[in-house]
Amino acid sequence: MSNISKQQSCQKFIYKIHSARLRKARWNLTLPISEARRNDEVISLSDSQMLRFIDRLNGIENGDEVARNIKNEIKMLRKQPNSLQNRKKIKRLYEELDEIQYKPDYMCLIIDKEKDYWRACKGFKINGVAYARLLGTNGGIKNSTIVFVSERLAPELRRLIDNGRDKSKELVPAKLEAYQALVCSGSIPVSMPHGIAVVDDCVTHFKSDVVNIEDADGEPKMWFEEGADVELDESDGYGIMLPSLARRWSEELKLDYMVSGVNTRLSFEKGMVFTFDFLEFADQVAGTRIIKDAWGNEVDLSNVEMVLTTSMVKLWDSYASCDDYIRNCVENGYTFGITKSCPRVLENERMTNYQFLQVYDLNDEQIEELIQPTIQEIHDILALDWRKAVLFLKGTGITEDNIDFVDSDFAKAIMIDQRMMDDPFITKKIYALIKKRIVDAKIGVIKARGNYSIISGDPYALCQNMFGLEVTGILQAGEIYNHYWLEHGVNTVSCFRAPMTCANNVVKMTVNGSDDARHWYQYMTACTLLNAWDTTAAALNGADKDGDLIFTTDNRILVECHNQLPALMCAQRKATKCVPSEEDIIRSNIASFGDDIGKITNHITSMFDIIAQYDKDSQEYATLDYRIKCGQKFQQDSIDKAKGIISKPMPKGWYDRVAAKGDDGDDEATVQLNLRVVADKKPYFMRYIYPSLMRKYNTYISNTNKKALREFRMTMDELIERENAGASTEEEREFLHYYLVKMPVGVNNCVMNRICRRFEAEFDGYIARHTSETEFDYTIMKSGTEYSQTQYNTILRLYEAYNRRIQDYMQYAKKERLDEDEHTNLRFVMVQDFRRECQIACSNKDQLCDILLDICYQKEGSKQFVWDMAGEDIIDALLRNNGGRISFPVRAEDGDITFGGDQFTFVTKQIGGEDDGDSVE
């Protein structure tokens, strides 16, 4: 999958506050940063063009370098003896770090009520700083979150964001703001290319069988069209760069390889730029280096290092020319920013998800073949061999070159000293991860040979279009180019992209391995190129090439059990254009708050559970098949909601039993059909996704069992066995009927429920039967440095405060329904806060580490505290105590360890001094 570009700048911190908090403070809040941290109202941000603008306007130069120097100074002080003087210095340095890293001119406001939003737009204050509304980002609007900046900087920031565009142009308000919000994308700045051209997109036309879906009175209209005329924007979201630029940017990004492609940001610009030698194309194919750009001006590519397309430069026609656009970018201080890049190589194995699997019609033998590698991997882990534990925890990509940079955590501790496998904390963590791996398998996270890669179009076709040649491309209909699969001798793969709806979203493709393809795409070794002549992009739920990921696999079941189906072509409405005012944009924000994609996807998954019980020639099957396919349109409409495009929602009667009953005048036969197919229950396997559903299910099963014992003196399992044997009474059959009717989950034999039950049968109760306690001497992690009881008591109070904070945080996370990214972000800030307090309380890292170990390992309770506060110091101590040696796995044909179907052997390397592995956060 894509490799997020290495973070070369220090994290920035901002406030993220609920509007209710400001409302209660009468829109004038006093909130010290220390209190905000305790309240989980501080988040970290990666660097962005917006934050670079703010630093520039505040006269901050080389902020990241200053922050790194401060952190290095703190690191040096922590190696010195603990003293009051050093503790004061560390406290002062952290205060200086706050001055650089905390950005009071930028904050995020979570809107709790619509009235709050309108009031907030009139202005408010936090710690005396007056704020004004700036914009809403795509991700933020889904969570009802808007960016506000200090009134002092707001006018100039708005001017910089507009970047000299023609403001008289009519635009969709929501789209304009989405384009403006690109300045907030986390990115690493790189040098400007030596010449840029912007060209028209490459549009192709061909005929293909499709299934059309469009809005109609009542439910959507769907029909099959043979040989339909299809128009494809082949270059939607991507451009090309010369190898010279790819090399330079790779060096600037500190990558040790030449990148296949990068995701870029400039003013109103977003998309992938792939490495392709368009000058060689000009000389050998076109016979000229002169092209016409999007404005109709002639451009000599001899002076160009990068070609962007009009789908990437969103407001290209708001400028008089390419020179006008670039001049404004340079004058306003824009730099190209890289948000992510293609990796050096693609992975050998990745995990599927339930959306990929639920669309298949598999028998038990096919399911067994599909899941066997995952079952074997879990059994390998459960053996708790330290070497297999390392492979499970760290993966299979460790090399002699990168071992020094492996994160300093408990897995690295095992690699240094295998006695760490006896640490009850580590054993518990490993078992927790194994348990999670089993739960993941129950919800379709299944190992398959394959990988995620960034999607490109056919740059050869783009070049043909650029030079006014007939567009043929190298890739033909039904073909992709993927270097990984060519190297592995694979001709046919199945392709998937989330979110998925139905079997029409799976595309089986042939890998083009022609000499022409290998030559012209020689630099594109870690991405997947789609052809310009079929509906693959549409079939992959409307994929484009601005950074979307595709999963490709040669798994026999996923390839051979898929029947190619026509793409679903979902007609979508156009939003109204205007010259947007501030009020227009605010209203578009309010209309776009919330994200229904998850709900829609869940309704579709419930339909797969129901459809499994019906014959394919039944009316029920046909109805559900139609509704599942329509789900793609509703998904796409929900995605487009943030762009200001409002469409009809999924009919409530498809997933709500009361609504499915219709009105009094509805045809009874239709009502009964709707009730039979209403998707009002999540499938059985989804209990493992939603804890509340698991609790509801367990309570229901427990209560029903008690009732069965009271009425029939039999358990539910015994009643079901009697019915299967044909020995049940009418009263028992009626009891079982209502047992299923009232069941809180769908228990039909859909593919995902069957996969879930298979993993339950294999692993339920396994961990509980195999856990064991062993003796462990935690002093192998200590340096043996002496400390005072006063120091111990000070750190003990922080430990107790940490435990209270964790309990409060877990309640907060549950209440706010935080997603994984938000959880990781807030926990990072919380850990940083306590780490700072610990280092101020005890300045010497060895003393602090030993105190933390004695507190956490001499009593029952959380040991996570010491690993959060002093994980790197534990690693340093282990290395010192073990002579600086570390063991790690490498693939070997004659290896003595089998894991995930591959052979490995462990080798040992000396990584030396105590500073190895230290990182700047």
Side-chain angles (χ1 to χ4, degrees):
M1 71 189 251
S2 64
N3 174 49
I4 303 302
S5 294
K6 295 177 182 178
Q7 185 63 39
Q8 298 174 27
S9 60
C10 297
Q11 291 292 100
K12 313 298 190 293
F13 298 95
I14 65 164
Y15 281 179
K16 185 175 182 180
I17 297 172
H18 279 271
S19 63
R21 185 104 149 87
L22 285 170
R23 188 186 339 120
K24 291 174 184 176
R26 297 177 181 268
W27 303 94
N28 189 354
L29 178 66
T30 299
L31 181 63
I33 190 169
S34 57
E35 182 182 340
R37 286 194 180 108
R38 288 195 299 272
N39 296 339
D40 298 313
E41 293 174 314
V42 174
I43 61 170
S44 67
L45 288 182
S46 298
D47 196 19
S48 65
Q49 183 68 68
M50 171 58 65
L51 294 178
R52 293 192 284 273
F53 280 155
I54 289 174
D55 277 355
R56 193 181 80 198
L57 294 176
N58 285 328
I60 297 174
E61 296 182 2
N62 303 319
D64 290 333
E65 183 179 347
V66 173
R68 276 191 289 269
N69 289 338
I70 291 172
K71 289 187 175 185
N72 285 332
E73 192 172 348
I74 291 171
K75 186 189 293 186
M76 294 305 297
L77 284 169
R78 294 190 65 231
K79 294 177 183 177
Q80 297 176 16
N82 178 57
S83 68
L84 177 61
Q85 183 181 13
N86 284 342
R87 293 198 297 274
K88 286 182 175 180
K89 284 181 181 178
I90 288 175
K91 183 178 181 180
R92 175 181 53 79
L93 288 169
Y94 271 120
E95 289 169 352
E96 291 178 12
L97 202 56
D98 272 346
E99 289 293 318
I100 296 170
Q101 291 187 295
Y102 168 54
K103 303 297 176 184
D105 291 304
Y106 184 105
M107 65 86 58
C108 289
L109 186 65
I110 306 167
I111 308 300
D112 295 311
K113 292 181 178 180
E114 184 178 331
K115 286 183 180 179
D116 286 353
Y117 190 17
W118 289 109
R119 172 59 187 83
C121 290
K122 294 179 181 178
F124 58 85
K125 289 184 178 180
I126 301 175
N127 298 330
V129 178
Y131 288 91
R133 180 195 173 281
L134 185 67
L135 51 80
T137 65
N138 274 352
I141 288 173
K142 291 176 185 177
N143 295 306
S144 304
T145 301
I146 301 294
V147 173
F148 283 75
V149 295
S150 64
E151 284 184 357
R152 177 177 62 88
L153 299 183
E156 181 62 8
L157 288 173
R158 292 189 184 110
R159 188 191 71 79
L160 291 171
I161 291 171
D162 281 331
N163 194 39
R165 69 180 176 90
D166 179 357
K167 295 168 77 171
S168 68
K169 284 273 187 182
E170 290 192 343
L171 298 162
V172 176
K175 284 193 172 184
L176 171 61
E177 186 169 61
Y179 302 155
Q180 292 173 324
L182 293 173
V183 296
C184 296
S185 300
S187 63
I188 298 174
V190 290
S191 59
M192 290 292 283
H194 303 322
I196 299 169
V198 180
V199 302
D200 288 327
D201 277 297
C202 175
V203 177
T204 59
H205 297 85
F206 51 88
K207 292 187 178 295
S208 180
D209 295 347
V210 300
V211 175
N212 294 296
I213 304 175
E214 66 179 29
D215 285 328
D217 292 336
E219 297 182 349
K221 178 184 177 183
M222 184 174 78
W223 73 99
F224 172 75
E225 184 176 359
E226 185 177 1
D229 292 321
V230 177
E231 179 179 282
L232 171 68
D233 185 347
E234 189 282 331
S235 58
D236 187 9
Y238 84 93
I240 47 182
M241 62 179 166
L242 291 177
S244 60
L245 179 58
R247 288 190 191 95
R248 188 166 74 251
W249 277 1
S250 296
E251 290 173 3
E252 292 171 13
L253 293 170
K254 298 187 178 355
L255 301 175
D256 57 359
Y257 61 95
M258 188 172 80
V259 74
S260 296
V262 292
N263 196 272
T264 58
R265 293 292 186 276
L266 194 62
S267 173
F268 303 120
E269 185 271 337
K270 171 191 177 186
M272 288 297 300
V273 181
F274 293 101
T275 309
F276 184 88
D277 195 340
F278 53 81
L279 288 184
E280 181 184 1
F281 182 96
D283 297 340
Q284 296 189 10
V285 180
T288 178
R289 291 190 172 188
I290 306 299
I291 62 166
K292 283 195 174 181
D293 69 8
W295 291 267
N297 300 320
E298 286 194 346
V299 176
D300 185 348
L301 291 183
S302 302
N303 304 314
V304 169
E305 207 170 17
M306 172 189 285
V307 176
L308 305 176
T309 53
T310 51
S311 59
M312 299 176 71
V313 186
K314 306 301 183 181
L315 298 186
W316 69 273
D317 56 354
S318 292
Y319 296 90
S321 64
C322 186
D323 287 343
D324 180 34
Y325 169 67
I326 298 300
R327 183 178 63 254
N328 275 283
C329 289
V330 173
E331 288 177 356
N332 288 314
Y334 280 87
T335 60
F336 264 96
I338 306 300
T339 65
K340 61 184 176 182
S341 58
C342 294
R344 176 200 288 272
V345 293
L346 298 178
E347 297 157 304
N348 292 320
E349 289 182 331
R350 281 306 297 266
M351 303 298 177
T352 63
N353 65 54
Y354 73 86
Q355 292 178 35
F356 296 176
L357 304 181
Q358 68 185 3
V359 304
Y360 280 85
D361 183 11
L362 304 178
N363 60 38
D364 290 344
E365 289 75 19
Q366 291 165 335
I367 287 176
E368 193 66 25
E369 181 179 338
L370 178 66
I371 68 175
Q372 259 313 305
T374 305
I375 288 176
Q376 184 57 54
E377 179 191 68
I378 295 172
H379 278 299
D380 284 346
I381 305 163
L382 285 166
L384 270 196
D385 180 298
W386 74 268
R387 296 168 296 180
K388 291 185 177 181
V390 167
L391 284 160
F392 169 57
L393 294 168
K394 286 297 185 186
T396 59
I398 300 175
T399 66
E400 187 171 353
D401 294 330
N402 65 27
I403 185 62
D404 296 47
F405 306 103
V406 170
D407 288 342
S408 296
D409 56 15
F410 61 86
K412 190 171 184 177
I414 297 170
M415 296 160 69
I416 297 167
D417 191 330
Q418 286 75 64
R419 290 176 295 175
M420 293 298 295
M421 279 293 292
D422 295 330
D423 181 347
F425 168 76
I426 290 180
T427 303
K428 184 177 178 181
K429 293 288 285 189
I430 292 174
Y431 273 126
L433 290 169
I434 294 171
K435 186 176 180 180
K436 183 181 183 301
R437 181 69 190 94
I438 293 170
V439 169
D440 285 345
K442 293 174 182 177
I443 60 174
V445 182
I446 305 298
K447 175 179 284 194
R449 188 165 85 145
N451 45 63
Y452 283 88
S453 56
I454 295 176
I455 300 172
S456 170
D458 184 346
Y460 193 92
L462 174 58
C463 281
Q464 288 175 317
N465 187 70
M466 212 161 71
F467 284 96
L469 305 175
E470 178 189 359
V471 177
T472 61
I474 291 176
L475 306 176
Q476 300 305 302
E479 293 182 342
I480 62 169
Y481 180 82
N482 182 296
H483 177 79
Y484 174 89
W485 293 117
L486 286 179
E487 292 297 297
H488 286 78
V490 174
N491 297 319
T492 306
V493 295
S494 284
C495 308
F496 306 77
R497 175 179 169 265
M500 261 186 60
T501 311
C502 58
N504 300 68
N505 298 139
V506 184
V507 185
K508 192 183 297 185
M509 302 294 282
T510 300
V511 183
N512 183 319
S514 67
D515 291 342
D516 275 350
R518 289 178 182 271
H519 173 73
W520 288 105
Y521 311 141
Q522 61 183 291
Y523 305 108
M524 300 175 68
T525 56
C527 50
T528 297
L529 284 66
L530 305 185
N531 69 75
W533 301 108
D534 66 24
T535 57
T536 298
L540 294 170
N541 216 335
D544 53 33
K545 292 98 176 182
D546 66 356
D548 286 1
L549 293 170
I550 185 175
F551 175 68
T552 58
T553 178
D554 70 337
N555 180 276
R556 191 186 76 82
I557 299 299
L558 298 181
V559 173
E560 294 182 8
C561 295
H562 171 67
N563 296 317
Q564 199 83 322
L565 298 170
L568 305 180
M569 309 294 283
C570 301
Q572 291 170 294
R573 299 178 180 180
K574 300 286 186 182
T576 303
K577 292 184 178 181
C578 63
V579 178
S581 66
E582 181 77 352
E583 184 173 328
D584 291 329
I585 293 177
I586 292 171
R587 291 190 183 281
S588 76
N589 290 162
I590 294 169
S592 302
F593 282 163
D595 183 4
D596 294 327
I597 296 175
K599 294 178 182 177
I600 293 167
T601 303
N602 283 347
H603 295 327
I604 295 165
T605 297
S606 297
M607 293 175 193
F608 277 106
D609 173 65
I610 299 164
I611 202 172
Q613 65 183 307
Y614 293 110
D615 293 332
K616 291 186 177 181
D617 57 355
S618 67
Q619 188 179 12
E620 291 85 354
Y621 189 98
T623 301
L624 286 162
D625 184 61
Y626 154 77
R627 292 181 180 182
I628 288 169
K629 287 183 170 68
C630 288
Q632 178 171 319
K633 174 170 171 52
F634 294 122
Q635 281 180 333
Q636 292 180 358
D637 286 348
S638 181
I639 293 169
D640 287 342
K641 181 181 175 184
K643 303 174 185 176
I645 301 170
I646 306 301
S647 301
K648 291 183 177 181
M650 178 181 282
K652 193 172 182 180
W654 290 11
Y655 58 87
D656 183 276
R657 188 162 294 273
V658 174
K661 293 177 181 178
D663 300 322
D664 292 340
D666 289 345
D667 175 70
E668 182 62 22
T670 301
V671 170
Q672 290 305 315
L673 172 65
N674 288 336
L675 288 172
R676 288 195 298 275
V677 299
V678 65
D680 63 340
K681 295 179 183 179
K682 291 183 176 73
Y684 175 85
F685 80 92
M686 285 192 129
R687 299 175 305 132
Y688 292 99
I689 300 176
Y690 298 100
S692 60
L693 185 62
M694 178 67 85
R695 288 192 296 270
K696 187 176 181 181
Y697 171 83
N698 288 339
T699 299
Y700 178 78
I701 294 298
S702 175
N703 291 341
T704 308
N705 256 317
K706 291 174 184 175
K707 190 174 182 180
L709 286 167
R710 283 197 309 267
E711 295 191 15
F712 305 106
R713 297 185 180 276
M714 283 183 283
T715 64
M716 286 304 304
D717 287 342
E718 290 168 337
L719 281 176
I720 292 169
E721 285 180 14
R722 276 175 58 81
E723 185 185 41
N724 291 338
S728 58
T729 65
E730 183 175 345
E731 186 180 10
E732 290 168 354
R733 287 194 295 273
E734 184 179 8
F735 184 88
L736 288 170
H737 168 75
Y738 283 105
Y739 162 74
L740 293 173
V741 168
K742 296 178 181 180
M743 176 74 69
V745 296
V747 292
N748 296 299
N749 283 326
C750 62
V751 164
M752 276 310 308
N753 280 350
R754 288 155 60 207
I755 288 174
C756 179
R757 292 187 184 112
R758 177 65 182 87
F759 278 104
E760 285 178 336
E762 186 77 20
F763 295 111
D764 274 9
Y766 193 101
I767 291 179
R769 295 192 302 270
H770 289 76
T771 53
S772 61
E773 293 289 337
T774 55
E775 291 294 324
F776 175 65
D777 179 10
Y778 75 91
T779 61
I780 64 174
M781 296 184 278
K782 293 181 67 174
S783 63
T785 308
E786 294 183 357
Y787 57 82
S788 70
Q789 187 64 39
T790 301
Q791 291 172 298
Y792 179 93
N793 292 338
T794 303
I795 302 301
L796 179 61
R797 286 192 291 273
L798 287 171
Y799 169 74
E800 291 165 347
Y802 170 90
N803 288 334
R804 290 192 298 271
R805 177 87 172 271
I806 285 289
Q807 290 177 352
D808 292 343
Y809 170 73
M810 295 307 293
Q811 292 178 357
Y812 171 82
K814 184 178 180 181
K815 176 186 173 185
E816 296 293 317
R817 300 175 63 115
L818 300 181
D819 62 27
E820 187 173 347
D821 289 340
E822 291 173 311
H823 169 75
T824 301
N825 193 314
L826 284 174
R827 194 179 188 284
F828 170 80
V829 174
M830 181 172 62
V831 167
Q832 290 291 93
D833 189 24
F834 275 98
R835 190 177 293 168
R836 166 195 308 230
E837 293 301 316
C838 285
Q839 292 175 8
I840 292 172
C842 180
S843 62
N844 180 267
K845 72 185 188 72
D846 291 333
Q847 272 188 332
L848 176 60
C849 184
D850 282 8
I851 293 170
L852 289 165
L853 284 166
D854 286 342
I855 288 173
C856 294
Y857 277 81
Q858 284 186 349
K859 57 175 63 182
E860 290 300 320
S862 173
K863 296 173 177 59
Q864 186 65 52
F865 187 60
V866 63
W867 286 92
D868 282 342
M869 299 301 107
E872 291 182 358
D873 302 326
I874 291 173
I875 295 301
D876 286 346
L878 286 169
L879 282 170
R880 283 198 303 269
N881 297 339
N882 193 41
R885 293 184 298 276
I886 188 169
S887 299
F888 58 94
V890 295
R891 280 192 174 84
E893 291 184 5
D894 57 348
D896 56 340
I897 293 292
T898 301
F899 185 83
D902 286 325
Q903 300 294 116
F904 295 88
T905 189
F906 271 68
V907 298
T908 300
K909 180 185 177 184
Q910 190 92 14
I911 63 174
E914 65 177 33
D915 288 338
D916 283 9
D918 284 352
S919 62
V920 174
E921 294 171 355

